[in-house]
Amino acid sequence: MGVKERRAREKEQLRQQILSAARELFVNEGYENVSMRKIANKIEYSPTTIYLYFKDKTDLLDSVCKETLLNLLNTLEQLKRNNTDPVETLRKSGRAYIEFGLKYPQDYKLTFVTRPQFQQGLGLDEGSVGEKVFNYLREMVSECIQQQIFQQVDVETTGQVMWSAVHGVTLLLIDFPDFPWTEKDKLIDTVIHTTIEGLKA
Amino acid sequence: MGVKERRAREKEQLRQQILSAARELFVNEGYENVSMRKIANKIEYSPTTIYLYFKDKTDLLDSVCKETLLNLLNTLEQLKRNNTDPVETLRKSGRAYIEFGLKYPQDYKLTFVTRPQFQQGLGLDEGSVGEKVFNYLREMVSECIQQQIFQQVDVETTGQVMWSAVHGVTLLLIDFPDFPWTEKDKLIDTVIHTTIEGLKA
DNA sequence: TGTTATACTTAACAGTGTTAAGTTAAATGA
DNA sequence: TCATTTAACTTAACACTGTTAAGTATAACA
């Protein structure tokens, strides 16, 4: 009875093949500039085959994004383990978050900007990866407050302020690559530093 | 010799007609979901006529956004006149910026998120309206630094940090209306306050 | 070996942005 | 007033897009 298992394995393999071909093209050429035919060409199947594995183009992108968001969550979780100072952890988390956005701008924009516009509240629904990411932020902030490092005692507001800052700088750097920004690393550090100092004051 | 003038006037009129039809459709249905044929239908001209007035679809988007930016600039400039305390002016400017974004969310996203995606690195070029808006921010920040209120002395970095914060919270509020935000006014005030305090520290 | 189910492809539809060529009507000059 | 020029606008087409209904070939099963 190993036939069905082998078949399922083969199917999963092709699914992954499609997914990674799509990711590579999305990242390199931008979601809008990648057609289903292009993806099909890359994996040497007909375009319609993709539809046997994914509902449509947005479903494909959705799957790509989910993977990368899980990646982000992973990166953040690891950070938490190797640190004891809550402020330092928050600082590093902020950096990791921004760097993730800059590394996968398409995925970031889709999840946090594009999708919610056309599909209300996606990305942050209960049980979604997006929600888990924000829960992580809540935890980080909560520790800073518990240790009475922050003046502001409201976990929600504090988290949202932090999120605004990192979200803002991430999108600006993505969307206006030609703007004469301060040296990128300095800007990121200053944004995080300013926000944390502001929360302390 | 009034013929040429009348013709020019008529041409300008149609240009404006196209522009406002495009804005309405872009805002209501999203840039991607609006075709040149749809715009043409709305104004009851053939699709190709649009190309006599605008180079291509992104040029149309560009012109729509320029109008929006002029609007924003106007709002901000008015603020400046009625204030003497630089920090207070900066605070109010930040508020006005965010409120503008929330009042015209689609226009804001079109200008600061959609447009840069489709037209690399524009809007902030020399002489552009976008540049003027950022110059306004530079001015506000510069006064705070000159009066030695801010610790950070780099006008550019300081301005960019400020922009990141207001841009971030504006987009989050627009894109995730169902998220359990802190009361909106409190969140906005806290974001601005935190950033300014962080820059003082 | 014949039947059924699975995996994949072909061909097509309705739509897109954009352009070259053609048409119509108004302005101009004799 | 009438032919000519010029400007405004349209028609038809191209090469693409996402997506689907219908068809084919092959592997699995009885």
Side-chain angles (χ1 to χ4, degrees), chain A residues 69-123:
Chain A
L69 271 181
L70 274 169
N71 230 1
L72 168 62
L73 195 61
N74 224 40
T75 311
L76 292 176
E77 294 282 2
Q78 274 182 324
L79 255 178
K80 192 167 58 176
R81 295 190 221 297
N82 306 340
N83 260 283
T84 46
D85 177 10
V87 174
E88 197 50 37
T89 310
L90 186 63
R91 193 189 312 279
K92 284 189 178 166
S93 298
R95 248 220 165 265
Y97 180 98
I98 295 167
E99 269 166 5
F100 173 87
L102 298 179
K103 195 168 175 188
Y104 308 103
Q106 296 286 335
D107 305 33
Y108 186 83
K109 283 194 71 171
L110 178 92
T111 309
F112 292 111
V113 184
T114 311
R115 283 309 290 273
Q117 190 176 24
F118 293 101
Q119 213 154 326
Q120 287 297 14
L122 199 98

Side-chain angles (χ1 to χ4, degrees), chain B residues 49-68:
Chain B
T49 298
I50 300 173
Y51 288 89
L52 301 172
Y53 293 81
F54 298 93
K55 194 180 148 283
D56 52 27
K57 200 185 170 189
T58 64
D59 184 29
L60 198 45
L61 174 63
D62 219 26
S63 304
V64 167
C65 291
K66 200 173 174 183
E67 274 189 354
T68 306

Side-chain angles (χ1 to χ4, degrees), chain A residues 7 11 46 48-49 52-53:
Chain A
R7 283 231 163 180
K11 258 201 101 132
S46 86
T48 46
T49 299
L52 301 171
Y53 295 81

Side-chain angles (χ1 to χ4, degrees), chain B residues 121-153:
Chain B
L122 97 177
L124 297 169
D125 297 340
E126 230 182 279
S128 69
V129 190
E131 201 213 14
K132 277 178 191 151
V133 173
F134 193 70
N135 275 341
Y136 174 89
L137 177 61
R138 273 197 189 95
E139 240 178 86
M140 297 298 101
V141 163
S142 186
E143 283 198 34
C144 292
I145 292 174
Q146 264 168 23
Q147 296 200 13
Q148 302 189 325
I149 300 163
F150 286 171
Q151 209 68 15
Q152 176 84 35
V153 290

Side-chain angles (χ1 to χ4, degrees), chain B residues 150-168:
Chain B
F150 286 171
Q151 209 68 15
Q152 176 84 35
V153 290
D154 182 0
V155 178
E156 293 303 311
T157 308
T158 309
Q160 289 164 28
V161 167
M162 199 69 209
W163 191 19
S164 294
V166 294
H167 183 60

